[in-house]
Amino acid sequence: YLGRGMALAKLGRTSEARTDLERSNSIVPTAIAASELGNIALRDNRRDEAKEYYKSASAAGGDLGQQAGYEFMRLDLEDNPGAYVEVRLAPDADYRLQLQVINRSQFALEEVTLRVFRNFDLLGTINVSDLNPSGVVVAPTRVRVENGADLAQYNVQVYRAIPAGR
């Protein structure tokens, strides 16, 4: 089933490939089948299913596992940007709130959209562009904070993160 499923996938016969690969995976789960099922699910715009297959395949290690992990993280980054982008709050020298935005993913990020709140009230949205993997960008705001205690009133939601070259 695995060999035929992979051959059918290469021929673009994805429905038949999916059937064979699912059958193969039910008999003996393999990273090869899971990864290809992830590719098929992604082509069919079934993102959650693709993520599950990639996550499963990533446990295998090696090049295939690493590639599957990469695909999982790329999809998950768009679905759960706050898991990959950290924001720290601090006042600048003029007592204005600044956001230290840290990319915890392995991807360059084309754009990150942040929502700034004070006591659950939306103050505004800030876009940060071109954030490298493990990179840090400081984003200034116009919000005035009098002292460190004021910072507890603020929080930031990482609303969206778009991988570069998506």
Side-chain angles (χ1 to χ4, degrees), residues 109-122:
L109 301 177
E110 183 175 300
E111 183 177 321
V112 176
T113 302
L114 307 168
R115 290 182 172 173
V116 181
F117 295 87
R118 179 176 183 196
N119 297 329
F120 305 105
D121 293 325
L122 179 64

Side-chain angles (χ1 to χ4, degrees), residues 6-52:
M6 294 299 289
L8 288 166
K10 284 192 187 291
L11 293 172
R13 295 167 56 186
T14 56
S15 179
E16 296 165 278
R18 181 178 182 196
T19 300
D20 278 355
L21 291 168
E22 285 174 343
R23 177 78 172 133
S24 170
N25 222 28
S26 72
I27 296 168
V28 177
T30 64
I32 295 169
S35 182
E36 190 58 40
L37 283 165
N39 294 340
I40 291 169
L42 190 56
R43 277 192 294 264
D44 292 344
N45 202 28
R46 296 186 322 270
R47 291 174 51 88
D48 290 340
E49 188 177 325
K51 281 172 54 176
E52 288 303 315

Side-chain angles (χ1 to χ4, degrees), residues 80-114:
N80 302 300
Y84 301 94
V85 177
E86 178 184 347
V87 180
R88 296 180 185 163
L89 309 177
D92 67 11
D94 295 323
Y95 298 102
R96 289 199 173 25
L97 182 66
Q98 65 180 7
L99 313 178
Q100 188 178 55
V101 185
I102 306 161
N103 181 358
R104 300 281 185 213
S105 80
Q106 63 186 23
F107 301 99
L109 301 177
E110 183 175 300
E111 183 177 321
V112 176
T113 302
L114 307 168

Side-chain angles (χ1 to χ4, degrees), residues 142-160:
R142 294 185 194 139
V143 176
R144 187 147 175 84
V145 290
E146 294 303 320
N147 58 52
D150 281 352
L151 291 179
Q153 299 175 33
Y154 298 92
N155 69 13
V156 177
Q157 173 196 28
V158 181
Y159 179 71
R160 182 176 61 174

Side-chain angles (χ1 to χ4, degrees), residues 31-32 35 54 57-71 106:
I32 295 169
S35 182
Y54 289 138
S58 71
D63 289 344
L64 182 61
Q66 187 174 12
Q67 181 62 34
Y70 179 88
E71 292 300 329
Q106 63 186 23

